[in-house]
Amino acid sequence: IKLLNGKLATFSVKSIDHALEHPAKIFTTHQSAYLYLLDPPNRRVVLLDKNGKLVRQYFSEKFTNLKDFIVSEKEKRIYVLDGNMVFGFSIQ
């Protein structure tokens, strides 16, 4: 859902290849222009703008058990917890 000034607003994810199957986590901040979604069944982190348009997808065959993630926009890095392993990659 999307709230705008405390009221329900229309929101939909647009132009994403392989629809979100089961987004497990979401990250954003008031200052960020983006929404970050962890989609474990599709082995990816999805980056959307706040209007629902796909910006980028971060996918890896190595992701077999995605559990959590954290984003550092200041460092331009995303860290994902996959099973008992942590992977880090750059935000492009």
Side-chain angles (χ1 to χ4, degrees):
I1 65 168
K2 178 179 179 179
L3 298 174
L4 183 60
N5 296 322
K7 297 185 189 229
L8 193 59
T10 302
F11 180 83
S12 64
V13 176
K14 301 167 190 78
S15 64
I16 185 169
D17 188 17
H18 290 92
L20 293 168
E21 195 170 322
H22 183 65
K25 304 276 181 171
I26 186 169
F27 174 86
T28 193
T29 64
H30 180 68
Q31 298 84 10
S32 177
Y34 304 108
L35 300 170
Y36 300 84
L37 299 141
L38 185 69
D39 186 26
N42 289 308
R43 300 178 177 194
R44 66 185 173 176
V45 174
V46 177
L47 176 59
L48 305 172
D49 69 16
K50 289 195 175 175
N51 293 312
K53 184 178 176 188
L54 177 66
V55 175
R56 186 173 311 280
Q57 298 179 70
Y58 300 95
F59 168 85
S60 176
E61 290 289 340
K62 292 181 181 181
F63 299 159
T64 59
N65 189 17
L66 287 172
K67 295 182 176 196
D68 208 348
F69 76 118
I70 189 166
V71 177
S72 174
E73 287 188 330
K74 182 179 179 182
E75 296 175 8
K76 297 186 179 187
R77 302 280 295 168
I78 297 174
Y79 298 94
V80 296
L81 176 62
D82 185 77
N84 62 357
M85 305 258 318
V86 174
F87 294 94
F89 47 91
S90 296
I91 299 171
Q92 299 178 10

PDB file of all heavy atoms in Angstrom, residues 43-80:
ATOM      1  N   ARG A  43      15.502 -15.059  -6.018  1.00  0.00           N
ATOM      2  CA  ARG A  43      16.937 -14.878  -5.741  1.00  0.00           C
ATOM      3  C   ARG A  43      17.428 -13.480  -6.082  1.00  0.00           C
ATOM      4  O   ARG A  43      18.432 -13.303  -6.771  1.00  0.00           O
ATOM      5  CB  ARG A  43      17.759 -15.906  -6.514  1.00  0.00           C
ATOM      6  CG  ARG A  43      17.437 -17.320  -6.177  1.00  0.00           C
ATOM      7  CD  ARG A  43      18.238 -18.261  -7.009  1.00  0.00           C
ATOM      8  NE  ARG A  43      17.965 -19.635  -6.610  1.00  0.00           N
ATOM      9  CZ  ARG A  43      18.690 -20.660  -6.962  1.00  0.00           C
ATOM     10  NH1 ARG A  43      19.736 -20.490  -7.734  1.00  0.00           N
ATOM     11  NH2 ARG A  43      18.381 -21.862  -6.562  1.00  0.00           N
ATOM     12  N   ARG A  44      16.708 -12.467  -5.570  1.00  0.00           N
ATOM     13  CA  ARG A  44      17.084 -11.111  -5.964  1.00  0.00           C
ATOM     14  C   ARG A  44      16.685 -10.065  -4.940  1.00  0.00           C
ATOM     15  O   ARG A  44      15.852 -10.275  -4.080  1.00  0.00           O
ATOM     16  CB  ARG A  44      16.431 -10.766  -7.295  1.00  0.00           C
ATOM     17  CG  ARG A  44      14.923 -10.689  -7.188  1.00  0.00           C
ATOM     18  CD  ARG A  44      14.272 -10.467  -8.520  1.00  0.00           C
ATOM     19  NE  ARG A  44      12.819 -10.582  -8.368  1.00  0.00           N
ATOM     20  CZ  ARG A  44      11.962 -10.363  -9.318  1.00  0.00           C
ATOM     21  NH1 ARG A  44      12.388 -10.005 -10.523  1.00  0.00           N
ATOM     22  NH2 ARG A  44      10.672 -10.486  -9.119  1.00  0.00           N
ATOM     23  N   VAL A  45      17.322  -8.898  -5.119  1.00  0.00           N
ATOM     24  CA  VAL A  45      16.915  -7.658  -4.465  1.00  0.00           C
ATOM     25  C   VAL A  45      16.443  -6.762  -5.608  1.00  0.00           C
ATOM     26  O   VAL A  45      17.137  -6.609  -6.616  1.00  0.00           O
ATOM     27  CB  VAL A  45      18.083  -6.993  -3.706  1.00  0.00           C
ATOM     28  CG1 VAL A  45      17.663  -5.638  -3.154  1.00  0.00           C
ATOM     29  CG2 VAL A  45      18.586  -7.900  -2.590  1.00  0.00           C
ATOM     30  N   VAL A  46      15.252  -6.210  -5.455  1.00  0.00           N
ATOM     31  CA  VAL A  46      14.652  -5.378  -6.491  1.00  0.00           C
ATOM     32  C   VAL A  46      14.692  -3.928  -6.034  1.00  0.00           C
ATOM     33  O   VAL A  46      14.336  -3.618  -4.898  1.00  0.00           O
ATOM     34  CB  VAL A  46      13.196  -5.809  -6.765  1.00  0.00           C
ATOM     35  CG1 VAL A  46      12.545  -4.903  -7.790  1.00  0.00           C
ATOM     36  CG2 VAL A  46      13.150  -7.268  -7.214  1.00  0.00           C
ATOM     37  N   LEU A  47      15.124  -3.057  -6.915  1.00  0.00           N
ATOM     38  CA  LEU A  47      15.201  -1.625  -6.643  1.00  0.00           C
ATOM     39  C   LEU A  47      14.137  -0.929  -7.491  1.00  0.00           C
ATOM     40  O   LEU A  47      14.155  -1.029  -8.718  1.00  0.00           O
ATOM     41  CB  LEU A  47      16.596  -1.109  -6.987  1.00  0.00           C
ATOM     42  CG  LEU A  47      16.879   0.379  -6.875  1.00  0.00           C
ATOM     43  CD1 LEU A  47      16.637   0.894  -5.468  1.00  0.00           C
ATOM     44  CD2 LEU A  47      18.302   0.671  -7.299  1.00  0.00           C
ATOM     45  N   LEU A  48      13.177  -0.272  -6.821  1.00  0.00           N
ATOM     46  CA  LEU A  48      12.100   0.455  -7.483  1.00  0.00           C
ATOM     47  C   LEU A  48      12.179   1.918  -7.101  1.00  0.00           C
ATOM     48  O   LEU A  48      12.642   2.246  -5.997  1.00  0.00           O
ATOM     49  CB  LEU A  48      10.726  -0.051  -7.026  1.00  0.00           C
ATOM     50  CG  LEU A  48      10.407  -1.522  -7.161  1.00  0.00           C
ATOM     51  CD1 LEU A  48       9.077  -1.829  -6.473  1.00  0.00           C
ATOM     52  CD2 LEU A  48      10.345  -1.921  -8.628  1.00  0.00           C
ATOM     53  N   ASP A  49      11.695   2.795  -7.986  1.00  0.00           N
ATOM     54  CA  ASP A  49      11.513   4.167  -7.529  1.00  0.00           C
ATOM     55  C   ASP A  49      10.212   4.196  -6.714  1.00  0.00           C
ATOM     56  O   ASP A  49       9.486   3.197  -6.654  1.00  0.00           O
ATOM     57  CB  ASP A  49      11.522   5.176  -8.688  1.00  0.00           C
ATOM     58  CG  ASP A  49      10.330   5.100  -9.610  1.00  0.00           C
ATOM     59  OD1 ASP A  49       9.289   4.494  -9.259  1.00  0.00           O
ATOM     60  OD2 ASP A  49      10.422   5.664 -10.714  1.00  0.00           O
ATOM     61  N   LYS A  50       9.926   5.289  -6.075  1.00  0.00           N
ATOM     62  CA  LYS A  50       8.765   5.326  -5.180  1.00  0.00           C
ATOM     63  C   LYS A  50       7.430   5.430  -5.916  1.00  0.00           C
ATOM     64  O   LYS A  50       6.384   5.457  -5.295  1.00  0.00           O
ATOM     65  CB  LYS A  50       8.929   6.427  -4.135  1.00  0.00           C
ATOM     66  CG  LYS A  50      10.012   6.053  -3.122  1.00  0.00           C
ATOM     67  CD  LYS A  50       9.986   6.901  -1.900  1.00  0.00           C
ATOM     68  CE  LYS A  50      10.996   6.402  -0.881  1.00  0.00           C
ATOM     69  NZ  LYS A  50      11.081   7.266   0.279  1.00  0.00           N
ATOM     70  N   ASN A  51       7.483   5.413  -7.247  1.00  0.00           N
ATOM     71  CA  ASN A  51       6.269   5.326  -8.051  1.00  0.00           C
ATOM     72  C   ASN A  51       6.026   3.909  -8.552  1.00  0.00           C
ATOM     73  O   ASN A  51       5.089   3.657  -9.287  1.00  0.00           O
ATOM     74  CB  ASN A  51       6.325   6.299  -9.233  1.00  0.00           C
ATOM     75  CG  ASN A  51       6.284   7.729  -8.762  1.00  0.00           C
ATOM     76  OD1 ASN A  51       5.459   8.096  -7.939  1.00  0.00           O
ATOM     77  ND2 ASN A  51       7.189   8.544  -9.269  1.00  0.00           N
ATOM     78  N   GLY A  52       6.915   2.979  -8.179  1.00  0.00           N
ATOM     79  CA  GLY A  52       6.754   1.577  -8.545  1.00  0.00           C
ATOM     80  C   GLY A  52       7.445   1.162  -9.822  1.00  0.00           C
ATOM     81  O   GLY A  52       7.296   0.033 -10.275  1.00  0.00           O
ATOM     82  N   LYS A  53       8.246   2.039 -10.409  1.00  0.00           N
ATOM     83  CA  LYS A  53       8.963   1.710 -11.644  1.00  0.00           C
ATOM     84  C   LYS A  53      10.270   0.993 -11.321  1.00  0.00           C
ATOM     85  O   LYS A  53      11.041   1.433 -10.475  1.00  0.00           O
ATOM     86  CB  LYS A  53       9.246   2.979 -12.450  1.00  0.00           C
ATOM     87  CG  LYS A  53       9.905   2.695 -13.776  1.00  0.00           C
ATOM     88  CD  LYS A  53      10.131   3.962 -14.566  1.00  0.00           C
ATOM     89  CE  LYS A  53      10.875   3.642 -15.853  1.00  0.00           C
ATOM     90  NZ  LYS A  53      11.271   4.847 -16.557  1.00  0.00           N
ATOM     91  N   LEU A  54      10.515  -0.089 -12.047  1.00  0.00           N
ATOM     92  CA  LEU A  54      11.747  -0.850 -11.856  1.00  0.00           C
ATOM     93  C   LEU A  54      12.957  -0.015 -12.241  1.00  0.00           C
ATOM     94  O   LEU A  54      13.006   0.567 -13.318  1.00  0.00           O
ATOM     95  CB  LEU A  54      11.717  -2.121 -12.714  1.00  0.00           C
ATOM     96  CG  LEU A  54      12.970  -2.986 -12.666  1.00  0.00           C
ATOM     97  CD1 LEU A  54      13.158  -3.588 -11.273  1.00  0.00           C
ATOM     98  CD2 LEU A  54      12.898  -4.074 -13.710  1.00  0.00           C
ATOM     99  N   VAL A  55      13.943   0.037 -11.338  1.00  0.00           N
ATOM    100  CA  VAL A  55      15.206   0.720 -11.601  1.00  0.00           C
ATOM    101  C   VAL A  55      16.285  -0.314 -11.907  1.00  0.00           C
ATOM    102  O   VAL A  55      17.032  -0.195 -12.864  1.00  0.00           O
ATOM    103  CB  VAL A  55      15.624   1.604 -10.400  1.00  0.00           C
ATOM    104  CG1 VAL A  55      16.992   2.220 -10.619  1.00  0.00           C
ATOM    105  CG2 VAL A  55      14.571   2.667 -10.132  1.00  0.00           C
ATOM    106  N   ARG A  56      16.356  -1.357 -11.084  1.00  0.00           N
ATOM    107  CA  ARG A  56      17.396  -2.374 -11.245  1.00  0.00           C
ATOM    108  C   ARG A  56      17.027  -3.604 -10.419  1.00  0.00           C
ATOM    109  O   ARG A  56      16.309  -3.508  -9.438  1.00  0.00           O
ATOM    110  CB  ARG A  56      18.731  -1.812 -10.772  1.00  0.00           C
ATOM    111  CG  ARG A  56      19.903  -2.705 -11.005  1.00  0.00           C
ATOM    112  CD  ARG A  56      21.234  -2.055 -10.690  1.00  0.00           C
ATOM    113  NE  ARG A  56      21.450  -0.743 -11.252  1.00  0.00           N
ATOM    114  CZ  ARG A  56      21.824  -0.482 -12.510  1.00  0.00           C
ATOM    115  NH1 ARG A  56      21.982  -1.446 -13.354  1.00  0.00           N
ATOM    116  NH2 ARG A  56      22.039   0.750 -12.908  1.00  0.00           N
ATOM    117  N   GLN A  57      17.576  -4.741 -10.843  1.00  0.00           N
ATOM    118  CA  GLN A  57      17.443  -5.979 -10.081  1.00  0.00           C
ATOM    119  C   GLN A  57      18.842  -6.527  -9.819  1.00  0.00           C
ATOM    120  O   GLN A  57      19.681  -6.504 -10.718  1.00  0.00           O
ATOM    121  CB  GLN A  57      16.647  -7.028 -10.864  1.00  0.00           C
ATOM    122  CG  GLN A  57      15.240  -6.607 -11.173  1.00  0.00           C
ATOM    123  CD  GLN A  57      14.507  -7.671 -11.955  1.00  0.00           C
ATOM    124  OE1 GLN A  57      14.205  -8.724 -11.411  1.00  0.00           O
ATOM    125  NE2 GLN A  57      14.234  -7.409 -13.224  1.00  0.00           N
ATOM    126  N   TYR A  58      19.061  -7.011  -8.617  1.00  0.00           N
ATOM    127  CA  TYR A  58      20.333  -7.634  -8.256  1.00  0.00           C
ATOM    128  C   TYR A  58      20.045  -9.110  -8.004  1.00  0.00           C
ATOM    129  O   TYR A  58      19.394  -9.456  -7.024  1.00  0.00           O
ATOM    130  CB  TYR A  58      20.932  -6.968  -7.014  1.00  0.00           C
ATOM    131  CG  TYR A  58      21.196  -5.500  -7.215  1.00  0.00           C
ATOM    132  CD1 TYR A  58      20.260  -4.550  -6.822  1.00  0.00           C
ATOM    133  CD2 TYR A  58      22.374  -5.057  -7.798  1.00  0.00           C
ATOM    134  CE1 TYR A  58      20.499  -3.191  -7.010  1.00  0.00           C
ATOM    135  CE2 TYR A  58      22.618  -3.708  -7.992  1.00  0.00           C
ATOM    136  CZ  TYR A  58      21.679  -2.781  -7.595  1.00  0.00           C
ATOM    137  OH  TYR A  58      21.920  -1.452  -7.786  1.00  0.00           O
ATOM    138  N   PHE A  59      20.534  -9.967  -8.891  1.00  0.00           N
ATOM    139  CA  PHE A  59      20.233 -11.397  -8.884  1.00  0.00           C
ATOM    140  C   PHE A  59      21.529 -12.192  -8.829  1.00  0.00           C
ATOM    141  O   PHE A  59      22.539 -11.773  -9.400  1.00  0.00           O
ATOM    142  CB  PHE A  59      19.471 -11.751 -10.169  1.00  0.00           C
ATOM    143  CG  PHE A  59      19.356 -13.219 -10.418  1.00  0.00           C
ATOM    144  CD1 PHE A  59      18.345 -13.944  -9.835  1.00  0.00           C
ATOM    145  CD2 PHE A  59      20.275 -13.873 -11.225  1.00  0.00           C
ATOM    146  CE1 PHE A  59      18.235 -15.313 -10.055  1.00  0.00           C
ATOM    147  CE2 PHE A  59      20.180 -15.237 -11.451  1.00  0.00           C
ATOM    148  CZ  PHE A  59      19.149 -15.960 -10.865  1.00  0.00           C
ATOM    149  N   SER A  60      21.487 -13.349  -8.155  1.00  0.00           N
ATOM    150  CA  SER A  60      22.629 -14.248  -8.191  1.00  0.00           C
ATOM    151  C   SER A  60      22.166 -15.688  -8.004  1.00  0.00           C
ATOM    152  O   SER A  60      21.297 -15.961  -7.169  1.00  0.00           O
ATOM    153  CB  SER A  60      23.635 -13.899  -7.093  1.00  0.00           C
ATOM    154  OG  SER A  60      24.700 -14.843  -7.086  1.00  0.00           O
ATOM    155  N   GLU A  61      22.752 -16.587  -8.775  1.00  0.00           N
ATOM    156  CA  GLU A  61      22.509 -18.028  -8.594  1.00  0.00           C
ATOM    157  C   GLU A  61      23.013 -18.484  -7.225  1.00  0.00           C
ATOM    158  O   GLU A  61      22.560 -19.494  -6.704  1.00  0.00           O
ATOM    159  CB  GLU A  61      23.193 -18.827  -9.704  1.00  0.00           C
ATOM    160  CG  GLU A  61      22.566 -18.672 -11.060  1.00  0.00           C
ATOM    161  CD  GLU A  61      21.211 -19.360 -11.190  1.00  0.00           C
ATOM    162  OE1 GLU A  61      20.902 -20.270 -10.393  1.00  0.00           O
ATOM    163  OE2 GLU A  61      20.457 -18.963 -12.094  1.00  0.00           O
ATOM    164  N   LYS A  62      23.954 -17.732  -6.651  1.00  0.00           N
ATOM    165  CA  LYS A  62      24.500 -18.080  -5.341  1.00  0.00           C
ATOM    166  C   LYS A  62      23.480 -17.869  -4.227  1.00  0.00           C
ATOM    167  O   LYS A  62      23.618 -18.427  -3.153  1.00  0.00           O
ATOM    168  CB  LYS A  62      25.752 -17.255  -5.041  1.00  0.00           C
ATOM    169  CG  LYS A  62      26.920 -17.591  -5.922  1.00  0.00           C
ATOM    170  CD  LYS A  62      28.134 -16.746  -5.561  1.00  0.00           C
ATOM    171  CE  LYS A  62      29.301 -17.062  -6.461  1.00  0.00           C
ATOM    172  NZ  LYS A  62      30.486 -16.264  -6.115  1.00  0.00           N
ATOM    173  N   PHE A  63      22.472 -17.029  -4.478  1.00  0.00           N
ATOM    174  CA  PHE A  63      21.438 -16.788  -3.470  1.00  0.00           C
ATOM    175  C   PHE A  63      20.497 -17.996  -3.435  1.00  0.00           C
ATOM    176  O   PHE A  63      19.679 -18.188  -4.324  1.00  0.00           O
ATOM    177  CB  PHE A  63      20.630 -15.532  -3.775  1.00  0.00           C
ATOM    178  CG  PHE A  63      21.414 -14.248  -3.813  1.00  0.00           C
ATOM    179  CD1 PHE A  63      20.911 -13.157  -4.491  1.00  0.00           C
ATOM    180  CD2 PHE A  63      22.630 -14.120  -3.172  1.00  0.00           C
ATOM    181  CE1 PHE A  63      21.600 -11.954  -4.533  1.00  0.00           C
ATOM    182  CE2 PHE A  63      23.342 -12.924  -3.212  1.00  0.00           C
ATOM    183  CZ  PHE A  63      22.821 -11.843  -3.893  1.00  0.00           C
ATOM    184  N   THR A  64      20.616 -18.799  -2.388  1.00  0.00           N
ATOM    185  CA  THR A  64      19.780 -19.992  -2.277  1.00  0.00           C
ATOM    186  C   THR A  64      18.862 -19.958  -1.063  1.00  0.00           C
ATOM    187  O   THR A  64      17.912 -20.727  -0.995  1.00  0.00           O
ATOM    188  CB  THR A  64      20.657 -21.257  -2.197  1.00  0.00           C
ATOM    189  OG1 THR A  64      21.526 -21.151  -1.065  1.00  0.00           O
ATOM    190  CG2 THR A  64      21.459 -21.441  -3.473  1.00  0.00           C
ATOM    191  N   ASN A  65      19.139 -19.063  -0.115  1.00  0.00           N
ATOM    192  CA  ASN A  65      18.340 -19.008   1.110  1.00  0.00           C
ATOM    193  C   ASN A  65      18.340 -17.580   1.656  1.00  0.00           C
ATOM    194  O   ASN A  65      18.767 -17.330   2.787  1.00  0.00           O
ATOM    195  CB  ASN A  65      18.904 -19.991   2.138  1.00  0.00           C
ATOM    196  CG  ASN A  65      18.016 -20.143   3.344  1.00  0.00           C
ATOM    197  OD1 ASN A  65      16.840 -19.779   3.331  1.00  0.00           O
ATOM    198  ND2 ASN A  65      18.581 -20.665   4.422  1.00  0.00           N
ATOM    199  N   LEU A  66      17.869 -16.627   0.855  1.00  0.00           N
ATOM    200  CA  LEU A  66      17.869 -15.219   1.268  1.00  0.00           C
ATOM    201  C   LEU A  66      16.984 -15.023   2.490  1.00  0.00           C
ATOM    202  O   LEU A  66      15.830 -15.433   2.501  1.00  0.00           O
ATOM    203  CB  LEU A  66      17.379 -14.327   0.126  1.00  0.00           C
ATOM    204  CG  LEU A  66      18.344 -14.142  -1.030  1.00  0.00           C
ATOM    205  CD1 LEU A  66      17.664 -13.397  -2.176  1.00  0.00           C
ATOM    206  CD2 LEU A  66      19.590 -13.408  -0.585  1.00  0.00           C
ATOM    207  N   LYS A  67      17.572 -14.368   3.512  1.00  0.00           N
ATOM    208  CA  LYS A  67      16.848 -14.165   4.762  1.00  0.00           C
ATOM    209  C   LYS A  67      16.639 -12.698   5.112  1.00  0.00           C
ATOM    210  O   LYS A  67      15.625 -12.339   5.680  1.00  0.00           O
ATOM    211  CB  LYS A  67      17.587 -14.853   5.905  1.00  0.00           C
ATOM    212  CG  LYS A  67      17.647 -16.338   5.779  1.00  0.00           C
ATOM    213  CD  LYS A  67      18.332 -16.947   6.961  1.00  0.00           C
ATOM    214  CE  LYS A  67      18.274 -18.461   6.850  1.00  0.00           C
ATOM    215  NZ  LYS A  67      18.577 -19.088   8.108  1.00  0.00           N
ATOM    216  N   ASP A  68      17.626 -11.862   4.813  1.00  0.00           N
ATOM    217  CA  ASP A  68      17.547 -10.462   5.235  1.00  0.00           C
ATOM    218  C   ASP A  68      18.521  -9.642   4.394  1.00  0.00           C
ATOM    219  O   ASP A  68      19.348 -10.197   3.675  1.00  0.00           O
ATOM    220  CB  ASP A  68      17.907 -10.344   6.714  1.00  0.00           C
ATOM    221  CG  ASP A  68      17.245  -9.150   7.394  1.00  0.00           C
ATOM    222  OD1 ASP A  68      16.693  -8.274   6.688  1.00  0.00           O
ATOM    223  OD2 ASP A  68      17.288  -9.079   8.629  1.00  0.00           O
ATOM    224  N   PHE A  69      18.406  -8.326   4.522  1.00  0.00           N
ATOM    225  CA  PHE A  69      19.338  -7.448   3.831  1.00  0.00           C
ATOM    226  C   PHE A  69      19.360  -6.085   4.499  1.00  0.00           C
ATOM    227  O   PHE A  69      18.482  -5.747   5.288  1.00  0.00           O
ATOM    228  CB  PHE A  69      18.988  -7.326   2.349  1.00  0.00           C
ATOM    229  CG  PHE A  69      17.810  -6.442   2.035  1.00  0.00           C
ATOM    230  CD1 PHE A  69      17.970  -5.312   1.253  1.00  0.00           C
ATOM    231  CD2 PHE A  69      16.539  -6.735   2.489  1.00  0.00           C
ATOM    232  CE1 PHE A  69      16.892  -4.498   0.934  1.00  0.00           C
ATOM    233  CE2 PHE A  69      15.454  -5.940   2.175  1.00  0.00           C
ATOM    234  CZ  PHE A  69      15.628  -4.811   1.396  1.00  0.00           C
ATOM    235  N   ILE A  70      20.402  -5.335   4.187  1.00  0.00           N
ATOM    236  CA  ILE A  70      20.537  -3.970   4.673  1.00  0.00           C
ATOM    237  C   ILE A  70      21.126  -3.138   3.540  1.00  0.00           C
ATOM    238  O   ILE A  70      21.898  -3.645   2.736  1.00  0.00           O
ATOM    239  CB  ILE A  70      21.397  -3.881   5.955  1.00  0.00           C
ATOM    240  CG1 ILE A  70      21.320  -2.494   6.548  1.00  0.00           C
ATOM    241  CG2 ILE A  70      22.814  -4.296   5.678  1.00  0.00           C
ATOM    242  CD1 ILE A  70      21.851  -2.391   7.956  1.00  0.00           C
ATOM    243  N   VAL A  71      20.726  -1.883   3.496  1.00  0.00           N
ATOM    244  CA  VAL A  71      21.172  -0.982   2.438  1.00  0.00           C
ATOM    245  C   VAL A  71      21.903   0.197   3.066  1.00  0.00           C
ATOM    246  O   VAL A  71      21.423   0.785   4.033  1.00  0.00           O
ATOM    247  CB  VAL A  71      19.963  -0.458   1.621  1.00  0.00           C
ATOM    248  CG1 VAL A  71      20.417   0.542   0.571  1.00  0.00           C
ATOM    249  CG2 VAL A  71      19.200  -1.609   1.002  1.00  0.00           C
ATOM    250  N   SER A  72      23.064   0.525   2.521  1.00  0.00           N
ATOM    251  CA  SER A  72      23.784   1.730   2.903  1.00  0.00           C
ATOM    252  C   SER A  72      23.897   2.604   1.656  1.00  0.00           C
ATOM    253  O   SER A  72      24.809   2.407   0.841  1.00  0.00           O
ATOM    254  CB  SER A  72      25.168   1.408   3.455  1.00  0.00           C
ATOM    255  OG  SER A  72      25.881   2.612   3.691  1.00  0.00           O
ATOM    256  N   GLU A  73      22.939   3.513   1.490  1.00  0.00           N
ATOM    257  CA  GLU A  73      22.989   4.388   0.319  1.00  0.00           C
ATOM    258  C   GLU A  73      24.200   5.308   0.369  1.00  0.00           C
ATOM    259  O   GLU A  73      24.756   5.651  -0.666  1.00  0.00           O
ATOM    260  CB  GLU A  73      21.697   5.193   0.192  1.00  0.00           C
ATOM    261  CG  GLU A  73      20.527   4.345  -0.276  1.00  0.00           C
ATOM    262  CD  GLU A  73      19.292   5.145  -0.601  1.00  0.00           C
ATOM    263  OE1 GLU A  73      19.069   6.214   0.018  1.00  0.00           O
ATOM    264  OE2 GLU A  73      18.531   4.693  -1.480  1.00  0.00           O
ATOM    265  N   LYS A  74      24.623   5.665   1.564  1.00  0.00           N
ATOM    266  CA  LYS A  74      25.800   6.525   1.708  1.00  0.00           C
ATOM    267  C   LYS A  74      27.042   5.837   1.143  1.00  0.00           C
ATOM    268  O   LYS A  74      27.841   6.453   0.445  1.00  0.00           O
ATOM    269  CB  LYS A  74      26.006   6.877   3.182  1.00  0.00           C
ATOM    270  CG  LYS A  74      27.177   7.798   3.429  1.00  0.00           C
ATOM    271  CD  LYS A  74      27.305   8.132   4.898  1.00  0.00           C
ATOM    272  CE  LYS A  74      28.499   9.026   5.150  1.00  0.00           C
ATOM    273  NZ  LYS A  74      28.670   9.327   6.577  1.00  0.00           N
ATOM    274  N   GLU A  75      27.191   4.551   1.435  1.00  0.00           N
ATOM    275  CA  GLU A  75      28.323   3.768   0.924  1.00  0.00           C
ATOM    276  C   GLU A  75      28.028   3.148  -0.440  1.00  0.00           C
ATOM    277  O   GLU A  75      28.904   2.515  -1.040  1.00  0.00           O
ATOM    278  CB  GLU A  75      28.674   2.656   1.905  1.00  0.00           C
ATOM    279  CG  GLU A  75      29.159   3.162   3.246  1.00  0.00           C
ATOM    280  CD  GLU A  75      29.392   2.029   4.245  1.00  0.00           C
ATOM    281  OE1 GLU A  75      29.311   0.843   3.853  1.00  0.00           O
ATOM    282  OE2 GLU A  75      29.649   2.340   5.405  1.00  0.00           O
ATOM    283  N   LYS A  76      26.785   3.273  -0.908  1.00  0.00           N
ATOM    284  CA  LYS A  76      26.331   2.673  -2.166  1.00  0.00           C
ATOM    285  C   LYS A  76      26.559   1.170  -2.172  1.00  0.00           C
ATOM    286  O   LYS A  76      27.093   0.596  -3.131  1.00  0.00           O
ATOM    287  CB  LYS A  76      27.000   3.343  -3.363  1.00  0.00           C
ATOM    288  CG  LYS A  76      26.630   4.805  -3.488  1.00  0.00           C
ATOM    289  CD  LYS A  76      27.173   5.419  -4.734  1.00  0.00           C
ATOM    290  CE  LYS A  76      26.726   6.872  -4.773  1.00  0.00           C
ATOM    291  NZ  LYS A  76      27.033   7.544  -5.994  1.00  0.00           N
ATOM    292  N   ARG A  77      26.107   0.504  -1.075  1.00  0.00           N
ATOM    293  CA  ARG A  77      26.282  -0.941  -0.914  1.00  0.00           C
ATOM    294  C   ARG A  77      24.996  -1.573  -0.405  1.00  0.00           C
ATOM    295  O   ARG A  77      24.244  -0.964   0.359  1.00  0.00           O
ATOM    296  CB  ARG A  77      27.390  -1.271   0.088  1.00  0.00           C
ATOM    297  CG  ARG A  77      28.764  -0.726  -0.221  1.00  0.00           C
ATOM    298  CD  ARG A  77      29.537  -1.506  -1.224  1.00  0.00           C
ATOM    299  NE  ARG A  77      29.849  -2.831  -0.747  1.00  0.00           N
ATOM    300  CZ  ARG A  77      30.323  -3.796  -1.519  1.00  0.00           C
ATOM    301  NH1 ARG A  77      30.536  -3.579  -2.792  1.00  0.00           N
ATOM    302  NH2 ARG A  77      30.576  -4.986  -1.042  1.00  0.00           N
ATOM    303  N   ILE A  78      24.775  -2.811  -0.815  1.00  0.00           N
ATOM    304  CA  ILE A  78      23.708  -3.655  -0.293  1.00  0.00           C
ATOM    305  C   ILE A  78      24.382  -4.909   0.254  1.00  0.00           C
ATOM    306  O   ILE A  78      25.266  -5.481  -0.394  1.00  0.00           O
ATOM    307  CB  ILE A  78      22.697  -4.042  -1.387  1.00  0.00           C
ATOM    308  CG1 ILE A  78      22.001  -2.805  -1.940  1.00  0.00           C
ATOM    309  CG2 ILE A  78      21.666  -5.038  -0.837  1.00  0.00           C
ATOM    310  CD1 ILE A  78      21.089  -3.080  -3.128  1.00  0.00           C
ATOM    311  N   TYR A  79      23.961  -5.325   1.435  1.00  0.00           N
ATOM    312  CA  TYR A  79      24.452  -6.557   2.044  1.00  0.00           C
ATOM    313  C   TYR A  79      23.263  -7.482   2.247  1.00  0.00           C
ATOM    314  O   TYR A  79      22.235  -7.060   2.786  1.00  0.00           O
ATOM    315  CB  TYR A  79      25.127  -6.268   3.390  1.00  0.00           C
ATOM    316  CG  TYR A  79      26.326  -5.370   3.256  1.00  0.00           C
ATOM    317  CD1 TYR A  79      26.206  -3.998   3.417  1.00  0.00           C
ATOM    318  CD2 TYR A  79      27.579  -5.894   2.955  1.00  0.00           C
ATOM    319  CE1 TYR A  79      27.300  -3.163   3.278  1.00  0.00           C
ATOM    320  CE2 TYR A  79      28.678  -5.059   2.812  1.00  0.00           C
ATOM    321  CZ  TYR A  79      28.529  -3.694   2.986  1.00  0.00           C
ATOM    322  OH  TYR A  79      29.615  -2.864   2.845  1.00  0.00           O
ATOM    323  N   VAL A  80      23.395  -8.736   1.787  1.00  0.00           N
ATOM    324  CA  VAL A  80      22.325  -9.702   1.956  1.00  0.00           C
ATOM    325  C   VAL A  80      22.807 -10.864   2.815  1.00  0.00           C
ATOM    326  O   VAL A  80      23.972 -11.268   2.739  1.00  0.00           O
ATOM    327  CB  VAL A  80      21.782 -10.234   0.602  1.00  0.00           C
ATOM    328  CG1 VAL A  80      21.148  -9.128  -0.197  1.00  0.00           C
ATOM    329  CG2 VAL A  80      22.837 -10.942  -0.196  1.00  0.00           C
TER     330      VAL A  80
END
